[in-house]
Amino acid sequence: IFFILMSVVGMLEGMQIAFFAVAKVPDSERGEAKFAKMTCDILFGGTGNNLPGFMIGRQLCVVSCMFFIARVTSVSIPEGESNIFGVSDGLQEFFNTGLLGAVITTIVGSITWQLVAAAFPLAFLGNPITYILLRICLLLEASGICSGAWVIAAVLKKIIGYQRDEIYIGTADERAKMDMADADDMVFVGPGHPVKLPGFGESAPQALKDLMKEDVESSQFVASIFGEAQK
């Protein structure tokens, strides 16, 4: 049960990354997988409230799973019992705080899945488990347990004047028709392409400025990085 719940939490963490990654992508680029289309039809169809609704239901589902996971990863040694693996009392006290379990859960049940979803969002959309969990999350949101979140969000929107991104930049299909797509050939990022920071030399830490003045090689190295970034 523990590993199943960890996988459910991981899927939910990855789903939110994948959903936002494809939210601004044209329909034609969302793949041809059956479940990917079914998932997108639910998420982005209608009035567009299903995506934030999923976020509410997802949070309820994650919290419910975490209650059980926290009980499993928490350690409590009764009085008079020996420590786990014979560790020292100080280390055992650290285990008893539950921090170790929280770190493991964060890495295995959250961050790892998010990184995979960020790299392969369409693969997440095409997974039938994604569709099933989406339905469950929307069902939890429809229960009204956290409907107060909609009210608070509406109040903030009214006060601050938030608008949807489409109001300012249009939908992905509209931008493509107006030839406003991202110019990927003008972006030099990734391994081997460090991005030049505007005004870095002037706003660098004083220790680095002093080092660049005293050490010519350090100054030349920093200059070479900026030169490569501009190519």
Side-chain angles (χ1 to χ4, degrees), residues 48-154:
N49 288 329
N50 281 342
L51 180 56
F54 159 77
M55 296 301 295
I56 296 175
R58 169 203 162 277
Q59 196 62 41
L60 289 171
C61 193
V62 168
V63 169
S64 301
C65 293
M66 281 300 180
F67 273 119
F68 181 86
I69 293 173
R71 294 293 298 174
V72 174
T73 56
S74 298
V75 179
S76 180
I77 302 298
E79 194 71 29
E81 294 289 337
S82 59
N83 296 338
I84 297 178
F85 305 125
V87 299
S88 63
D89 292 338
L91 186 56
Q92 183 60 54
E93 286 296 327
F94 172 73
F95 290 161
N96 292 345
T97 62
L99 183 60
L100 182 61
V103 172
I104 295 174
T105 303
T106 300
I107 296 174
V108 178
S110 179
I111 298 177
T112 303
W113 294 80
Q114 291 178 3
L115 293 175
V116 173
F120 309 102
L122 295 180
F124 258 79
L125 288 180
N127 192 329
I129 299 178
T130 297
Y131 179 79
I132 295 173
L133 290 177
L134 172 61
R135 284 291 193 179
I136 294 175
C137 290
L138 291 177
L139 180 63
L140 289 174
E141 187 275 329
S143 67
I145 298 177
C146 290
S147 292
W150 291 103
V151 178
I152 297 174

Side-chain angles (χ1 to χ4, degrees), residues 125-209:
L125 288 180
N127 192 329
I129 299 178
T130 297
Y131 179 79
I132 295 173
L133 290 177
L134 172 61
R135 284 291 193 179
I136 294 175
C137 290
L138 291 177
L139 180 63
L140 289 174
E141 187 275 329
S143 67
I145 298 177
C146 290
S147 292
W150 291 103
V151 178
I152 297 174
V155 172
L156 289 175
K157 177 184 177 181
K158 188 68 175 180
I159 294 175
I160 303 177
Y162 285 135
Q163 296 287 343
R164 293 181 181 273
D165 291 344
E166 288 75 11
I167 299 298
Y168 304 104
I169 63 176
T171 64
D173 292 326
E174 291 172 347
R175 295 198 305 274
K177 289 180 181 179
M178 294 185 293
D179 196 22
M180 296 177 60
D182 296 333
D184 295 334
D185 57 330
M186 299 297 293
V187 180
F188 299 97
V189 296
H193 295 285
V195 179
K196 181 179 180 180
L197 302 178
F200 176 77
E202 294 77 10
S203 60
Q206 188 60 43
L208 180 56
K209 291 181 180 179

Side-chain angles (χ1 to χ4, degrees), residues 18-25 30 44 51 166 172:
F19 290 168
F20 281 105
V22 301
K24 309 302 180 184
V25 174
R30 290 174 179 168
F44 309 118
L51 180 56
E166 288 75 11

